[in-house]
Every structure is written in C-alpha cells, then in structure tokens.
C-alpha cells in the first residue's frame, strides 16, 4: 500500500484540475523544490495513485454531443454471465463509464454518442444481441453540469 502524505495530497489537488501545470508552479504553490515535485509525481504514477494522464475532449467540438445514462438490469447474475457483460461494456467505445451497482439495477453506464441513431445501433449490439439483459432504462442528459470532477482530497 502506498503512503500518501500532505505534500502528495496538495500535488494531487493541483494536477486533478490542471495536469499540465509546470512542476515549478506546483513547487512554488506547495513549498517544495521542482525536483521534489517531479520525484513525487513519478512515484504517484508508478504506484498507481495517478492512474492515467489524459486529455478531456469537448464532446460538442468533435460532433459527439449526446451523453446518455443507462440503467441496465440483468436476467441472471451468474458470475460468468456478469463477467461477459462487463467485458462487453469495457470493449464498447461509446461506454465512457461503467458501474456495477447494488439496488434496482445492476449496471449504470455513461454513454457518449453523436446521435440517437448511433445509440439505437449500440443498444441493439450491446443489449439485444449481447444477451443477459432483462431491461434497460435510458436517461438523456439535457446538460452536462459537472463531469470529470476532481476527487475531493
């Protein structure tokens, strides 16, 4: 298990908001040297505390404006069938997030599509042809108010 100290938490707070912030700027803000910040960032990445460095793309700018939240209920919760569904969701390029949950449904998916025609095609492949889906409910986001928020530290 990795030990994360107060300096690491301060670094993580900053890079969650701006991953391109220069290490010198981070150092100045938290009271460490730039080389110390560089070492800590490398350790946070190597240990898996920082899982990925990614760019967050404006969906509308790339003509993929629809965010859809899908509640999926399974027919059978046999482990091999659940694993097959998880694998299907992982491989689907439109599925941005997938949560296996407790409660009335079994999965919550966050999906990005260019239009309802693409969503319709995706549902046919993912839910009807893929199998083990008892039902699914679709909620179309009218506005993405907050996405990719930082983890509160």
């Amino acid at each position: 298990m990795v030990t994360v100290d107060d300096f690491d938490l301060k670094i993580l707070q900053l890079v969650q908001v701006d991953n391109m912030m220069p290490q010198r700027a981070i150092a100045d803000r938290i009271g460490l040297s730039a080389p110390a910040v560089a070492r800590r960032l490398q350790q946070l990445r190597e240990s898996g505390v920082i899982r990925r460095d990614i760019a967050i793309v404006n969906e509308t700018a790339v003509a993929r404006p629809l965010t859809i939240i899908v509640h999926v209920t399974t027919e059978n919760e046999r482990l091999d069938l659940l694993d097959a569904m998880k694998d299907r969701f992982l491989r689907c390029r439109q599925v941005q997030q997938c949560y296996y949950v407790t409660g009335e449904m079994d999965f919550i998916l966050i999906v990005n599509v260019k239009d309802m025609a693409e969503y319709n095609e995706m549902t046919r492949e993912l839910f009807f042809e893929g199998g083990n889906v008892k039902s699914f409910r679709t909620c179309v986001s009218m506005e993405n108010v907050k996405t990719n928020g930082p983890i509160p530290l």
Side-chain angles (χ1 to χ4, degrees), residues 38-102:
R39 281 191 302 276
R40 286 172 176 268
L41 281 168
Q42 181 178 358
Q43 180 184 19
L44 291 166
R45 287 182 176 102
E46 289 173 355
S47 66
V49 174
I50 295 177
R51 292 189 298 177
R52 294 184 300 164
D53 290 298
I54 62 170
I56 300 172
V57 176
N58 178 333
E59 301 93 339
T60 304
V62 293
R64 299 191 64 80
L66 288 178
T67 299
I68 299 177
I69 298 93
V70 187
H71 298 176
V72 181
T73 304
T74 61
E75 287 181 340
N76 188 317
E77 291 194 60
R78 221 175 63 210
L79 290 179
D80 61 324
L81 296 174
L82 287 174
D83 287 344
M85 290 182 78
K86 291 175 188 177
D87 184 57
R88 217 165 51 233
F89 298 152
L90 279 169
R91 287 184 286 111
C92 180
R93 68 183 191 90
Q94 292 93 344
V95 175
Q96 302 297 297
Q97 298 175 50
C98 173
Y99 302 94
Y100 178 49
V101 298
T102 62

Side-chain angles (χ1 to χ4, degrees), residues 1-143:
M1 189 70 189
V2 177
T3 302
V4 177
D5 67 16
D6 288 341
F7 284 117
D8 293 329
L9 291 174
K10 290 175 184 177
I11 291 169
L12 290 168
Q13 286 174 327
L14 293 171
V15 298
Q16 283 187 98
V17 175
D18 181 3
N19 196 13
M20 299 297 291
M21 181 181 285
Q23 293 173 0
R24 166 58 39 212
I26 295 170
D28 290 345
R29 302 240 335 241
I30 68 169
L32 286 177
S33 68
V37 168
R39 281 191 302 276
R40 286 172 176 268
L41 281 168
Q42 181 178 358
Q43 180 184 19
L44 291 166
R45 287 182 176 102
E46 289 173 355
S47 66
V49 174
I50 295 177
R51 292 189 298 177
R52 294 184 300 164
D53 290 298
I54 62 170
I56 300 172
V57 176
N58 178 333
E59 301 93 339
T60 304
V62 293
R64 299 191 64 80
L66 288 178
T67 299
I68 299 177
I69 298 93
V70 187
H71 298 176
V72 181
T73 304
T74 61
E75 287 181 340
N76 188 317
E77 291 194 60
R78 221 175 63 210
L79 290 179
D80 61 324
L81 296 174
L82 287 174
D83 287 344
M85 290 182 78
K86 291 175 188 177
D87 184 57
R88 217 165 51 233
F89 298 152
L90 279 169
R91 287 184 286 111
C92 180
R93 68 183 191 90
Q94 292 93 344
V95 175
Q96 302 297 297
Q97 298 175 50
C98 173
Y99 302 94
Y100 178 49
V101 298
T102 62
E104 295 178 21
M105 75 278 312
D106 298 300
F107 291 94
I108 297 175
L109 307 178
I110 309 298
V111 175
N112 174 265
V113 293
K114 65 181 175 186
D115 54 29
M116 289 308 288
E118 181 181 0
Y119 179 68
N120 187 45
E121 182 62 31
M122 186 208 77
T123 61
R124 289 176 185 272
E125 294 172 11
L126 210 55
F127 304 140
F128 297 112
E129 295 170 10
N132 198 33
V133 174
K134 179 179 180 181
S135 65
F136 66 95
R137 287 186 46 228
T138 299
C139 301
V140 178
S141 173
M142 296 190 312
E143 178 183 4

